[in-house]
Every structure is written in C-alpha cells, then in structure tokens.
Amino acid sequence: MASAAAAGAPPGPAAPRSRRSVTGTRKAVAALFLLPALVLLGALVVYPIGYSVVRSFFDSSGDRFTGVDNYRTLFTDDGIRTALKNNVIWVVFAPTVSTALGLVFAVLTERIRWGTAFKLVVFMPMAISMLAAGIIFRLVYDQDPDKGVANAVWVGVHDTFAQSSAFPKAHPGRESPLVAQGGAFVTKDAVHAGRPVVLPLVGVAPDQLPDGARKAAAARPEPGRVTGTTWQDFTRGKGVGRLGEPDPAELGYAGMRVEAVKDGKVVATARASGDGTFTLPAAADGARLRLPAENFREPYGGVGWLGPALVTPAIIGSYVWMWAGFAMVLIAAGLAGVPRELLEAARVDGANEWQVFRRVTVPLLAPVLAVVTVTLMINVLKVFDLVFIIAPGSSQDDANVLALELYRKGFAEGRPGVASAIAVFLLLLVIPVMLFNMRRLRREVRR
C-alpha cells in the first residue's frame, strides 16, 4: 500500500538550482572572474580617490586637520586662479575647434577618392604620445625662424609684403659726415651738383651684406647731378685702407635708399647700386642727404608664440592637431549611418550644399557631435603634458592649468593638502560631464 500510495502521490517540489545570470553563467563564477578586476579598481581608483578626499582636509604635514582651508586656497591663490581661467579657455575652445575641424574633414573627405588616405594622415598624430607632441611643437613654435616652422612661415609671408632691411646695425663711424636724426642719418652739410658725396657707415658684417654687394667704388662727378657712394668703411689698421674713402677691400651698400631733403620735404630719391654708388637729379642740389630709417629696420623676427600673450592659444593649437583626427573618425562613422535619401531629397527640393550641410547633415549628426565634444571636454580638463613641455619657464605661469598646478603644488612646493584639494575639485568638474555623456550613450542605445 505504501508503495502504491507513493506511486500515485504527486511529485514534490524540485530541488533548488543555482541561479544563473542572463548569459547562463553562475553568479558565483562571474564574481570570481570579476574579483581581480575589482581588486585592481579598488586599489588604483577607489582608494586613491578616498585618500585624496581625506588628505585634502589636512595641512602639508598631514598631522593637523585644517577643514576647508585647502579648498579656500583654490579661490585665493593667484596661480590656481590663473589655472582656473586657462581651464575655462581650454574647455570652451579646444573641444569646439577640434570637433568643428573633425566635422569639416569628415564631410569633405566623404566623396573624394583619396579620402581614406587623408583621414589616415589626419588621424596619425593620435599614434604619438602627448610627450612627443609637446617636443615637436616646442620646436615648431621656436622664436628663431631658422628653427621654428611657425615663425619661418610667418616671417616668409611678412617679408613678401614688407621686406626687412639688410643693414639693421649700420651706423656712422669716426669722422663721419653723417649725424643721427631719429632712426635715420643725415649729412651735416648741404650737397651740391658736380661734387661727389661720401656716406660711410660701419657695423654690418661683410657676410651679412646683400648678395648684390660688390667692391665699393668712388662716385664720378656728373654736371648737374649729385653723385656719391655709401659703403662699409672698414679699415683693418694703420696703413690698410684710408678712413672716409672707398677701398677695393670694402663693399658697397647695395640697395641703400638715399633721399635729398629740402625744408623738410623729400625732393629726390635714389638706390645705391652694387658698388654703393648713387646718382640724384639736379633737384638735389643744395639739399641735405638722408639715409631713412627704413634702411636700418631690424629684421622681422616673427611672433612670440610662446610668450605670455599667445602661449595658451599656441598650446591649444597643438592639442587640436592631435585630436581633430579623433573627432573626424567618430564623426565619419556617424556620417556613414546618415540616410542618403534625406540628403538627396533635400538636394532635389533645391537646397544647395551649404544648406544640406547646415539644415540636414549637422542636425542628424547632433548626437555624435555631442558625444565627441563632451569626451574632449573630459580630456581637456585633465590636460597636463602639453602645457608642461611646450610652455617655457618664462611663460609657464601664464599657461598654467589645474593639472599642472596640482603637480606644482604637490611636488615642487611641497603642499600635498592643496594638491589633493585640486584633485578633488577636478574630479567634481569631470563627474557631471561624464554623467551627461553616459546618459546620452544609454539614450542612443535604447533607440
């Protein structure tokens, strides 16, 4: 009977099975595999953050609790305030310019045959480190046009429209008939036709004279005209050359501009030939000769890219050079998913390419543009390497950013409490931007 009852009894509840995750893996096994990563995350991220928060409330020695004094320093210290101002400039301009260039590159290279090669070249700077980029742009921005590419180009363009003088250091020597007048040199006495004039100068190295300079020659008198010579009057010593007279070993000032001035007005002008000789018309008779200041203008040295005024924009330029390729690749990926039917429909309706770009392409790419911009903003808030390497010591204070100030306060000045406060402040600045980016990404995934 018992066996029959047992045979006819309904089956009891099944034994509990170990719970599995969505992927079919036991949670205990998943936790076991995640444990090393969690340990590393805690040791390398959670613990340093917690320690920095605690350390920010103590003094430099770490023994005395100071409350919010270190945080108060963030808004009273001049160096930190400069860093805050520069960080605002970085956050506003660096991501915006990088994203805009990436968008332009992505759209323009979409239809050309060599677009892939161009994208590779633009993206290539991402393959090098910030350290290497900093060294490269420290050389690019060198003040010397012979070394710095930026100033070499700038000086070349400038000299195309306003050529610099070949005689910047020329000046009258001993017993010279010339006297200084502002930046120019003027003869002491009036000159007359038929009487050659000598205008000797010194101060220019022979190898710095123009390529057209030849051996100086004495001017010949011409009836009704004023003639003369302007040259490098360099005598090596007693018995070698005569002071105030052109010698075969001396070179003429080729291209020197000479003006004849009467009653404050220029009545005639001339350019010295290769041997330094020049000829003025009869109108110059009785005038005083002037070598105008344009003959002695210092060579244009270019722009002080790493000076206090331009150092931050210059460093932002190097950042854009690196990260515009990153923005271009992400935007190009988003552009590949834009329905071509919408673009063609806009063109059929009469929209030109600019209207298609502004009213169709950009709105459709808005989610991608937002993600790229926010990602670059997070990256910019932590920028350190480029500023530390590119900015010279004389203008590093003007280029200062929060990450660099954190390093200086913590290691150079020995104030770890203030450095920890800067680190916490940077974290607080980054968290809202990260949350915004995460929410946007989740929203895109749900779509």
Side-chain angles (χ1 to χ4, degrees):
M1 294 293 292
S3 59
R17 297 180 181 179
S18 59
R19 301 183 65 182
R20 295 175 180 268
S21 66
V22 175
T23 59
T25 306
R26 291 187 179 89
K27 290 190 175 181
V29 176
L32 186 62
F33 277 100
L34 288 174
L35 184 60
L38 293 175
V39 171
L40 286 175
L41 185 66
L44 300 179
V45 178
V46 178
Y47 173 75
I49 291 176
Y51 180 80
S52 296
V53 172
V54 174
R55 189 67 180 81
S56 66
F57 294 104
F58 287 82
D59 63 359
S60 298
S61 64
D63 299 327
R64 186 170 62 87
F65 181 80
T66 58
V68 296
D69 287 353
N70 290 327
Y71 290 93
R72 190 179 293 114
T73 304
L74 298 181
F75 304 98
T76 57
D77 185 272
D78 290 338
I80 300 177
R81 290 167 64 181
T82 301
L84 280 169
K85 180 193 72 174
N86 287 335
N87 263 99
V88 171
I89 296 174
W90 272 88
V91 169
V92 171
F93 290 100
T96 305
V97 176
S98 299
T99 305
L101 282 178
L103 175 62
V104 171
F105 290 155
V107 172
L108 292 181
T109 58
E110 187 185 22
R111 299 182 181 180
I112 56 178
R113 297 174 59 184
W114 45 270
T116 302
F118 180 83
K119 290 177 182 178
L120 178 63
V121 171
V122 175
F123 187 75
M124 197 174 294
M126 287 293 299
I128 66 175
S129 65
M130 288 277 198
L131 173 65
I135 294 173
I136 290 170
F137 274 87
R138 182 66 181 267
L139 296 174
V140 168
Y141 290 133
D142 195 288
Q143 182 70 37
D144 187 353
D146 294 331
K147 298 178 182 178
V149 175
N151 264 340
V153 174
W154 193 268
V155 170
V157 173
H158 174 274
D159 288 350
T160 301
F161 299 98
Q163 191 171 5
S164 300
S165 167
F167 323 108
K169 299 185 183 300
H171 59 276
R174 296 172 294 160
E175 304 176 14
S176 174
L178 296 167
V179 293
Q181 189 181 77
F185 302 110
V186 183
T187 55
K188 299 175 183 176
D189 304 313
V191 297
H192 299 281
R195 301 178 188 176
V197 184
V198 290
L199 304 177
L201 295 169
V202 295
V204 180
D207 59 346
Q208 298 297 320
L209 287 170
D211 295 336
R214 302 194 304 270
K215 292 181 180 180
R220 297 180 179 179
E222 295 185 22
R225 294 188 176 186
V226 174
T227 59
T229 305
T230 176
W231 80 102
Q232 175 77 0
D233 188 22
F234 177 72
T235 55
R236 292 176 175 80
K238 187 175 181 181
V240 183
R242 299 182 63 181
L243 188 65
E245 294 183 13
D247 299 316
E250 298 168 344
L251 296 175
Y253 279 148
M256 177 76 75
R257 181 181 174 86
V258 182
E259 298 176 343
V261 181
K262 283 184 180 180
D263 301 325
K265 296 181 180 180
V266 177
V267 296
T269 61
R271 290 275 183 185
S273 59
D275 59 5
T277 58
F278 59 88
T279 302
L280 291 165
D285 185 42
R288 296 174 66 186
L289 299 189
R290 178 173 67 188
L291 303 179
E294 67 181 55
N295 290 314
F296 314 106
R297 184 173 52 241
E298 290 286 342
Y300 182 64
V303 178
W305 299 104
L306 299 182
L310 293 177
V311 62
T312 294
I315 300 174
I316 290 176
S318 66
Y319 178 90
V320 170
W321 175 77
M322 286 194 67
W323 288 88
F326 168 81
M328 177 194 65
V329 169
L330 293 187
I331 295 170
L335 189 61
V338 172
R340 299 300 178 216
E341 297 81 6
L342 297 177
L343 303 180
E344 293 302 328
R347 294 188 181 100
V348 169
D349 289 340
N352 56 37
E353 290 301 322
W354 169 246
Q355 291 173 326
V356 172
F357 172 75
R358 185 166 60 92
R359 296 180 179 272
V360 181
T361 304
V362 173
L364 290 174
L365 289 175
V368 178
L369 296 176
V371 170
V372 172
T373 304
V374 172
T375 302
L376 292 179
M377 287 174 64
I378 296 172
N379 184 268
V380 157
L381 284 171
K382 303 178 293 180
V383 68
F384 166 78
D385 317 59
L386 290 177
V387 180
F388 183 71
I389 297 166
I390 295 178
S394 58
S395 58
Q396 198 170 83
D397 289 341
D398 300 282
N400 200 10
V401 290
L402 286 174
L404 177 59
E405 188 64 18
L406 186 156
Y407 168 80
R408 296 169 79 176
K409 286 288 189 288
F411 296 97
E413 300 180 18
R415 300 173 66 184
V418 177
S420 297
I422 296 174
V424 174
F425 182 67
L426 266 176
L427 178 64
L428 294 177
L429 292 178
V430 170
I431 286 176
V433 184
M434 291 178 60
L435 292 177
F436 173 81
N437 214 14
M438 291 171 61
R439 289 182 60 186
R440 193 163 192 98
L441 287 173
R442 288 175 181 173
R443 195 179 305 130
E444 292 300 318
V445 170
R446 289 171 187 167
R447 290 180 183 176

